[in-house]
Amino acid sequence: MVTAESDLAALRRAPSQKRSRERVERMLAAASEVIAEQGSDAMRMGEVAERASVSIGSLYQYFPDKGSIIRTLADRYNTLGRECIEGELANVRDAQGLRVAFGGLIDTYYQLFLAEPVMRDIWSGTQADKQLRDIDLVYGRINGEILGRALKRVRPQADPGEIDRTAFLVMSLGEAAMRLAISVGREEGDRLVETYKQMVLRELLPV
């Protein structure tokens, strides 16, 4: 059966040898530095290679253009977000547990966006890159599946299909809410995140 996880595996390509992996890590670290300082639009492949202490040819061997670097970084931050979601929701068994876990999850995710300028820059350009949009969609489905499993434990009598659709939409809208919150002032952003949490919990746990 094709799942979001299998879709994700198809998006990833990683070198198998230790030396190659270390070289790639240096390249990605250098790219992150450049993006944090200048933004992804201003990132130049030559500067990334120089900071990573690799030849430009080696850089192009693994990353044919800067878009491929950004997509790899986006995948990593998505993975971090997924692990956060899995950790918060794994032990949810009742409505109160879901309220606490979901609230904590959104707060943690929001702090992650605030703390990582690279993440903010990457997500601001997601809609301009089809492959980034594809990655975004795959992770939206994965995160929706995680939330859906927790919801089915809390609401075993609810329609499974409806839960799946709701969970997918909630997690996809969560990404949009985070991007909106970090694009405005901190005080307004905090209020937007809190409003999102309350809206979602009313939908997930109807009285």
Side-chain angles (χ1 to χ4, degrees):
M1 180 176 65
V2 176
T3 65
E5 292 283 3
S6 61
D7 287 342
L8 179 59
L11 288 170
R12 289 177 172 164
R13 298 290 183 271
S16 57
Q17 295 184 349
K18 182 175 184 291
R19 175 180 288 183
S20 297
R21 290 197 300 271
E22 291 173 347
R23 187 180 300 120
V24 167
E25 289 303 318
R26 292 205 310 274
M27 295 172 187
L28 291 173
S32 294
E33 290 178 2
V34 174
I35 293 172
E37 294 170 9
Q38 306 171 18
S40 57
D41 288 342
M43 182 176 69
R44 294 184 299 103
M45 298 293 276
E47 184 173 1
V48 172
E50 182 178 351
R51 291 200 188 198
S53 300
V54 300
S55 69
I56 191 68
S58 292
L59 179 62
Y60 279 118
Q61 178 183 355
Y62 295 102
F63 302 105
D65 52 39
K66 71 177 187 179
S68 61
I69 294 178
I70 294 171
R71 287 189 289 275
T72 300
L73 291 171
D75 180 57
R76 289 190 169 198
Y77 285 116
N78 269 313
T79 298
L80 183 61
R82 184 195 67 187
E83 291 171 351
C84 176
I85 292 167
E86 287 180 326
E88 291 287 348
L89 299 181
N91 296 318
V92 167
R93 293 294 183 275
D94 55 33
Q96 181 58 24
L98 181 60
R99 288 183 184 279
V100 173
F102 187 82
L105 165 64
I106 296 304
D107 289 339
T108 299
Y109 210 44
Y110 181 40
Q111 292 302 316
L112 179 61
F113 270 81
L114 289 171
E116 292 288 349
V118 174
M119 189 174 183
R120 298 200 300 270
D121 188 84
I122 287 171
W123 286 124
S124 69
T126 296
Q127 296 307 310
D129 185 315
K130 183 181 183 304
Q131 287 182 282
L132 272 178
R133 293 199 304 271
D134 290 343
I135 293 172
D136 202 28
L137 178 60
V138 169
Y139 271 101
R141 291 192 184 280
I142 290 172
N143 296 338
E145 289 169 4
I146 297 169
L147 176 59
R149 289 194 292 271
L151 275 173
K152 289 170 185 175
R153 294 194 297 270
V154 174
R155 299 170 54 193
Q157 304 305 317
D159 177 66
E162 182 179 348
I163 282 184
D164 289 340
R165 290 189 296 273
T166 298
F168 178 31
L169 184 58
V170 163
M171 300 312 288
S172 296
L173 291 177
E175 297 284 355
M178 294 302 107
R179 292 174 203 167
L180 177 61
I182 63 174
S183 69
V184 299
R186 177 62 188 273
E187 184 176 349
E188 184 180 8
D190 290 352
R191 291 198 299 267
L192 288 170
V193 170
E194 185 61 31
T195 298
Y196 168 75
K197 285 192 296 185
Q198 297 307 317
M199 287 173 57
V200 167
L201 287 171
R202 286 195 296 271
E203 177 64 29
L204 296 183
L205 300 170
V207 178

